[in-house]
Amino acid sequence: MNGDSIDVVTVEVGKTVTVYPIRYPTDDGTTKSFWNTDLIYDTNDIAATAADSSIASTSIANDGVAVLKITGNSPGTTVVSGTIFGQNTVFTTRDLTVNVIPATKTLTSLTVTPATATIQVGETQQYRAKANYSDGSSTDITNVAAWALGDPTKASIDASGLATGTAAGTTDVTATWSGMTGTASLTVTAAPVTPPPVTLQSITVTPATATIQVGETQQYRAKANYSDGSSTDITNVAAWTLGDPTKASIDASGLATGTAAGTTDVTATWSGMTGTASLTVTAAPVTPPPTPEPTPTPIPEPTPTPIPEPTPTPIPEPTPTPIPEPTPTPIPEPTPTPIPEPTPTPIPEPTPTPIPEQPLVPKTGDGSLSRQERLTQVMNLARLAFGVYGIGSFVWYFIKRRKSQGGK
């Protein structure tokens, strides 16, 4: 800007303005520039100072001619004084008023969030737009931006940035404001197949038919059948009724009791649907009176016939056979030759055979011995006799042998 005609300079924070050439009055009543093209002064002969350097700062530069540069530091007003040391005067001073104003921010970009998103057909996704400025600040412009889709066959989007999936595929999502655009991406997937709703189809009562006698019971059960093939037991929640309540009764759990001969329907009702079965009641059979048990006739015990004791046959004692004495033959007397005494051979004493003691045989009830008992006693006596006979024969033989050996 021309320094001949300005008294006030305006600059934004962070920016610099150049003032040239600044003029000053001379001694002859005319004015000349601080930096005269006819008289080029060294920039070192020129000075400029701001009264408040926190608001503005100054510098001198050579731009073909000497120029003054003013930089805004913070909003406010200060005075910059310029001084030149001339040839005809010691110095000349001129003041400028400097107004520093806040910097004007500029729009640098638009951001759309989320940058990517995936939804199913029929689902929605909210997008937001943000304006970014040169000073680092940002502003939400979701509701003022213009929203558009790259492929409107895949989704729709309203003025507030709410997108709705309409078909499987991918599309860009664009927000435009103040001549600038921001973009994001939306993927739409096919919606899962939803099975049809499950509905009640019928009610089944089991058993379908039953027969009981008067006084007997029959348990019925109810089952709810659904459209998906499943079923649920509803015995305890269904309402039970009888077509002919004079033939039977039924409680809340489906237990029927026969009361009179005949047939009746059995009905279970639930959720507006009914299932039916049949019950036949027959008369109870007549029970005949019990037949008394016959009194048994006592049978007398037979009287035992006594068996006579057998008379034992005596066994004769065996008569020992005598052994004749041998007649000695006379032998002539030889010249006696001394004969050594023979050593007698010891004869072992015979071991008597022990006779086992016979246990006492109990007598019969009348004190007499039975036939078998008497036979046993006879046999024992015979064995005892033979034992005695054997011992006697051995003793007799031993004595005879001693005698035959000369009484030795």
Side-chain angles (χ1 to χ4, degrees):
M1 55 184 61
N2 194 320
D4 289 344
S5 60
I6 62 169
D7 293 313
V8 178
V9 174
T10 299
V11 62
E12 291 182 6
V13 173
K15 293 186 177 180
T16 301
V17 296
T18 301
V19 181
Y20 65 93
I22 298 177
R23 295 183 178 275
Y24 63 93
T26 63
D27 294 339
D28 59 4
T30 60
T31 60
K32 293 189 178 197
S33 297
F34 266 4
W35 301 275
N36 193 313
T37 57
D38 296 331
L39 300 172
I40 299 176
Y41 297 97
D42 190 334
T43 55
N44 292 327
D45 293 335
I46 304 171
T49 304
D52 188 347
S53 59
S54 66
I55 296 176
S57 57
T58 61
S59 62
I60 302 299
N62 193 334
D63 190 16
V65 295
V67 295
L68 169 64
K69 292 185 176 290
I70 302 173
T71 301
N73 295 328
S74 63
T77 300
T78 186
V79 174
V80 174
S81 298
T83 302
I84 186 171
F85 300 94
Q87 293 179 341
N88 300 324
T89 58
V90 177
F91 61 88
T92 300
T93 300
R94 185 178 177 188
D95 294 334
L96 289 177
T97 299
V98 178
N99 293 322
V100 180
I101 61 175
T104 302
K105 62 183 179 181
T106 58
L107 179 64
T108 58
S109 65
L110 296 185
T111 303
V112 177
T113 55
T116 60
T118 300
I119 60 174
Q120 293 179 356
V121 172
E123 293 183 340
T124 60
Q125 173 63 54
Q126 178 64 58
Y127 284 91
R128 305 201 70 82
K130 183 174 64 174
N132 306 304
Y133 294 95
S134 57
D135 62 353
S137 63
S138 63
T139 302
D140 188 292
I141 57 169
T142 301
N143 294 321
V144 295
W147 293 94
L149 295 171
D151 186 352
T153 66
K154 301 298 185 287
S156 62
I157 193 166
D158 63 13
S160 66
L162 183 65
T164 302
T166 56
T170 301
T171 179
D172 289 337
V173 178
T174 302
T176 303
W177 184 72
S178 294
M180 200 163 286
T181 298
T183 303
S185 176
L186 174 64
T187 299
V188 182
T189 60
V193 177
T194 303
V198 178
T199 58
L200 178 64
Q201 299 295 302
S202 65
I203 292 178
T204 303
V205 178
T206 55
T209 61
T211 300
I212 60 175
Q213 293 179 358
V214 172
E216 292 183 340
T217 60
Q218 173 64 53
Q219 178 65 59
Y220 285 91
R221 305 201 69 82
K223 182 174 66 175
N225 306 303
Y226 295 95
S227 57
D228 63 350
S230 63
S231 62
T232 303
D233 188 290
I234 58 170
T235 301
N236 294 321
V237 295
W240 293 94
T241 57
L242 296 171
D244 186 352
T246 66
K247 300 299 184 286
S249 63
I250 193 165
D251 64 12
S253 67
L255 183 66
T257 303
T259 56
T263 301
T264 180
D265 289 337
V266 178
T267 302
T269 303
W270 185 70
S271 293
M273 198 164 287
T274 298
T276 304
S278 177
L279 174 64
T280 298
V281 182
T282 61
V286 178
T287 303
T291 303
E293 291 289 333
T295 304
T297 303
I299 301 173
E301 289 289 333
T303 303
T305 303
I307 301 173
E309 292 290 333
T311 302
T313 302
I315 300 174
E317 292 288 333
T319 303
T321 303
I323 300 173
E325 290 286 337
T327 303
T329 303
I331 301 172
E333 295 266 341
T335 303
T337 302
I339 299 172
E341 288 289 329
T343 302
T345 302
I347 299 172
E349 293 290 333
T351 303
T353 302
I355 299 173
E357 293 187 5
Q358 296 299 319
L360 295 177
V361 179
K363 297 182 178 181
T364 60
D366 57 357
S368 62
L369 296 175
S370 64
R371 180 179 181 181
Q372 182 65 36
E373 292 169 344
R374 288 195 297 272
L375 288 175
T376 300
Q377 289 183 352
V378 171
M379 293 300 294
N380 289 339
L381 290 174
R383 283 194 291 269
L384 178 60
F386 279 118
V388 172
Y389 174 76
I391 293 172
S393 298
F394 178 78
V395 172
W396 181 82
Y397 173 78
F398 180 73
I399 293 172
K400 292 290 289 180
R401 182 178 177 83
R402 294 283 289 182
K403 286 181 178 182
S404 67
Q405 292 179 356
K408 294 182 180 180

